[in-house]
Amino acid sequence: MPSIAIVGTGANGAAIGADLAEAGHDVTFIEQWPAHVEAIREHGIRVETPEEQVSATVPVLHFCEVATLRRTFDVVLLLVKAYDTRWACELIKPHLADDGIAVGVQNGMSVDDMTDVLGAERTLGAVIEISSTMFEPGVVDRHSPRSRSWFAVGSLGPATVGREEEVATLLRHSGSVDVVSDIRSAKWMKLVINAAELVPSAILDLSIVEAGQHPGMKEVMLQAGYEAVDAAVAAGRSVVPIFGLTTVDPSNPHAFVDTLMDVLLEKYVLSHTLSTVLQDWIKSRRSEVDQINGRVVEELARAGRQAPVNQAVVEIAHRIERGEIKRSTDHVSVLRAALPDSV
């Protein structure tokens, strides 16, 4: 049985870790929130879902305690924020077995940071779709139970081809898993839907579903997704199915965005599900806007094109994080001003 470290046990990391522990796996949590660490040490981790409650007793370390480790791990699941990827990889690198494998179970295009630090021969890519929140240390409110959670796992190069199933077998304790041949494109497709829903809904201070229902906002969210899929294609990536879809029409990438949005709202998020970005802002943390909407702006700029809606999202998000403005539905008019005239 492999030894597993989960680096970053926020809502999603803790939920996955609890599933693995419940299944009898050797799991260690590594976490940066002191109160969360102490709560897990005292009471274990508890995950509430619409279908069941999962509780587990799991060894847990503060990030500052990693230097005391005298063991290595066969599998590392990385679930820190995308902007924390590089230093988190440096933190765990001495404790990843020489033949171990690390997996970035994250949003954003963090795989290159991982391979730079850990090596392509010890890194797999992954896509995650779980909806969870956590505001009380040691307690996760998981909105999408295992029956409605999905992952993709894929190799980033020939050095790890054939090892995908090692990780897929573990993640199947927490949801359905597809092993894919083009993980970079799959991650871009997830970034497409993230660009459409995470930061735009947080800007309005609404749940993802509420934002999509707010007058005039669905067009903004879809346009952010259209710009993102255009950026993916400009970056040389393919339009590939995710979220359990089996076919796509690569000749109509904007229609694919429409489908992704429908699948997300129908299957993966509840009416009260808050985006990870809004959760971060409620906790006074900065968001991943630069790694998501900002990445769209950067990729289209490289192609000599603009991403006006994503640019507006980035600018408003930065002002919110600087404390200059507040989250509000008043920002809908500014976002709609960035829409093309045909919308």
Side-chain angles (χ1 to χ4, degrees):
M1 182 175 293
S3 56
I4 305 163
I6 301 186
V7 180
T9 55
N12 289 340
I16 294 167
D19 287 338
L20 290 171
E22 184 190 50
H25 283 281
D26 173 11
V27 183
T28 299
F29 284 9
I30 298 174
E31 171 58 33
Q32 62 179 318
W33 184 15
H36 188 38
V37 172
E38 297 309 319
I40 295 171
R41 284 178 173 166
E42 186 172 355
H43 304 293
I45 184 69
R46 187 171 87 245
V47 182
E48 305 279 357
T49 84
E51 296 179 356
E52 61 181 337
Q53 176 179 301
V54 178
S55 298
T57 301
V58 187
V60 58
L61 296 171
H62 292 280
F63 274 21
C64 62
E65 294 174 312
V66 172
T68 68
L69 278 171
R70 295 297 182 266
R71 64 175 298 191
T72 58
F73 297 99
D74 301 309
V75 177
V76 170
L77 303 181
L78 195 71
L79 285 107
V80 296
K81 296 296 180 182
Y83 52 69
D84 285 331
T85 299
R86 185 174 289 272
W87 69 260
C89 286
E90 292 285 4
L91 178 76
I92 202 63
K93 181 178 180 179
H95 307 289
L96 177 62
D98 291 342
D99 61 348
I101 200 79
V103 193
V105 192
Q106 307 162 280
N107 291 325
M109 302 302 294
S110 58
V111 290
D112 291 328
D113 287 332
M114 294 187 67
T115 57
D116 284 350
V117 176
L118 301 172
E121 74 283 0
R122 296 199 295 172
T123 305
L124 287 177
V127 183
I128 179 174
E129 184 49 50
I130 294 181
S131 298
S132 304
T133 61
M134 184 173 64
F135 294 101
E136 178 183 347
V139 181
V140 176
D141 184 8
R142 180 171 173 175
H143 299 164
S144 56
R146 286 178 271 203
S147 61
R148 292 191 293 109
S149 297
W150 176 87
F151 304 87
V153 176
S155 177
L156 297 164
T160 53
V161 169
R163 301 197 64 182
E164 301 91 342
E165 194 59 35
E166 297 175 34
V167 174
T169 297
L170 297 176
L171 290 176
R172 287 193 183 103
H173 291 296
S174 204
S176 62
V177 183
D178 291 335
V179 174
V180 300
S181 59
D182 187 356
I183 191 63
R184 290 182 182 276
S185 290
K187 287 187 71 63
W188 254 108
M189 295 305 100
K190 180 63 191 307
L191 190 148
V192 166
I193 197 65
N194 286 160
E197 43 110 11
L198 293 186
V199 188
S201 63
I203 285 172
L204 272 58
D205 202 28
L206 297 175
S207 74
I208 295 168
V209 170
E210 289 170 337
Q213 295 173 342
H214 190 83
M217 192 59 188
K218 188 170 183 180
E219 295 88 345
V220 171
M221 296 169 77
L222 287 173
Q223 185 62 32
Y226 298 158
E227 292 174 2
V229 78
D230 290 346
V233 173
R237 300 302 164 198
S238 300
V239 179
V240 299
I242 61 171
F243 292 176
L245 297 173
T246 56
T247 59
V248 298
D249 179 2
S251 68
N252 193 352
H254 288 195
F256 178 58
V257 176
D258 296 337
T259 300
L260 276 185
M261 182 69 81
D262 289 342
V263 171
L264 177 82
L265 296 177
E266 291 172 7
K267 186 174 182 180
Y268 292 107
V269 298
L270 302 180
S271 61
H272 61 285
T273 297
L274 305 182
S275 78
T276 59
V277 171
L278 184 50
Q279 293 181 59
D280 286 337
W281 284 350
I282 291 170
K283 298 171 184 175
S284 299
R285 293 169 54 111
R286 69 185 175 99
S287 73
E288 295 172 299
V289 63
D290 292 327
Q291 289 72 33
I292 297 174
N293 304 84
R295 182 66 179 260
V296 174
V297 174
E298 292 170 3
E299 289 293 346
L300 284 181
R302 290 189 185 100
R305 299 165 62 184
Q306 294 183 331
V309 170
N310 281 277
Q311 182 65 54
V313 167
V314 171
E315 291 172 359
I316 294 172
H318 284 170
R319 293 191 66 196
I320 289 171
E321 292 183 354
R322 290 195 298 265
E324 297 174 1
I325 56 176
K326 295 185 181 297
R327 308 184 300 269
S328 170
T329 55
D330 292 343
H331 302 306
V332 173
S333 59
V334 177
L335 293 170
R336 285 190 61 81
L339 289 170
D341 293 337
S342 59
V343 176

